[in-house]
Amino acid sequence: MKMAVGKKQSRAEAYALVLDMKTGRRPLEDYDVDALLRFFAPALPKRAKIAEQWVAKAAADQYELRKPLQYIRVENGIAYASNGHRAHRCKTTWADGYYDPKTFLPVDSDERPIDIKRVFPDRRHCEEFTIEALEYGALPCKEKDARPLEYVRVPKSVAVARGYFEEAVNGAETGPVFYASAPAHAQKMVGDTEFGDWVIMAMRVD
């Protein structure tokens, strides 16, 4: 049975649903059970152990207005996810459709998927670099108590969010990465892991 489209509940909302179930105040509907599943689903491991966990890290959160970006999408043996700023994709044995990135259960959605092929750059237009030679830095935040925005970059060229990069390489400390920096192409960093390939949109740091 597929999960209903929905968001993760707050602690108070989840407690209220459990209280309803315990007291019999009202019968829980399927969408209530789905909400509890999302609330109690364990967090993804810092370092993905399977390909679908790694793909799920690139999905958007529940506040993203573009619904397809909130889920893992599977098409013809390829699973992918994107929050609009990065994307991960891999081969999978899952059936075609949408999947919740927290529970990995299928989601009942007929939303039109994004064109994932357009997100990834043609590597013929990319230059090769190495992970170990990337620069690390941080942009100061104007808001009080806000954390600096950390980044990694090819020296004097493409920079991407450090958090996205570290999730993309899944713990790798060496190896090649590729970047597109020519004016005719959107600036991106792209690479491969043991699970699949990834892309991250560039950010301004200068």
Side-chain angles (χ1 to χ4, degrees):
M1 182 180 293
K2 293 184 176 181
M3 296 183 70
V5 173
K7 66 181 183 68
K8 181 180 177 180
Q9 303 295 90
S10 67
R11 184 181 180 89
E13 291 169 332
Y15 174 77
L17 288 176
V18 173
L19 190 62
D20 286 345
M21 182 171 57
K22 177 66 174 177
T23 61
R25 186 164 53 191
R26 73 172 178 87
L28 295 191
E29 304 291 343
D30 287 343
Y31 59 81
D32 293 322
V33 176
D34 292 343
L36 289 175
L37 280 171
R38 290 190 179 94
F39 180 80
F40 289 110
L44 293 170
K46 186 173 182 180
R47 184 167 182 173
K49 297 178 175 61
I50 61 173
E52 289 82 7
Q53 287 178 340
W54 176 74
V55 168
K57 288 177 177 286
D61 62 29
Q62 62 185 357
Y63 303 107
E64 170 59 56
L65 297 178
R66 294 166 291 179
K67 291 295 184 182
L69 301 188
Q70 294 183 16
Y71 307 113
I72 297 171
R73 174 70 180 178
V74 175
E75 295 178 21
N76 302 316
I78 301 296
Y80 62 85
S82 172
N83 66 358
H85 302 283
R86 58 171 171 170
H88 296 179
R89 67 181 174 183
C90 72
K91 293 182 179 179
T92 185
T93 58
W94 292 4
D96 285 6
Y98 286 104
Y99 292 81
D100 188 281
K102 303 290 186 184
T103 66
F104 299 113
L105 293 173
V107 175
D108 187 12
S109 174
D110 58 0
E111 293 278 352
R112 182 179 178 180
I114 64 171
D115 185 353
I116 194 64
K117 292 181 180 179
R118 295 183 61 183
V119 177
F120 284 80
D122 185 337
R123 294 202 187 182
R124 292 175 299 178
H125 302 302
C126 295
E127 299 179 62
E128 185 173 344
F129 202 66
T130 59
I131 292 176
E132 54 268 36
L134 292 170
E135 292 181 344
Y136 288 76
L139 295 176
C141 289
K142 297 180 180 179
E143 297 180 11
K144 186 179 180 181
D145 300 326
R147 295 173 57 184
L149 182 58
E150 296 182 289
Y151 62 84
V152 298
R153 74 171 176 180
V154 176
K156 299 181 180 180
S157 188
V158 173
V160 298
R162 181 174 178 173
Y164 288 173
F165 176 78
E166 291 181 343
E167 289 186 338
V169 300
N170 202 40
E173 297 179 352
T174 61
V177 292
F178 304 87
Y179 65 101
S181 61
H185 305 280
Q187 293 195 346
K188 303 176 180 180
M189 190 178 292
V190 63
D192 304 290
T193 69
E194 68 269 39
F195 299 131
D197 56 345
W198 56 267
V199 61
I200 307 172
M201 309 307 167
M203 57 181 284
R204 295 188 62 179
V205 297
D206 295 323

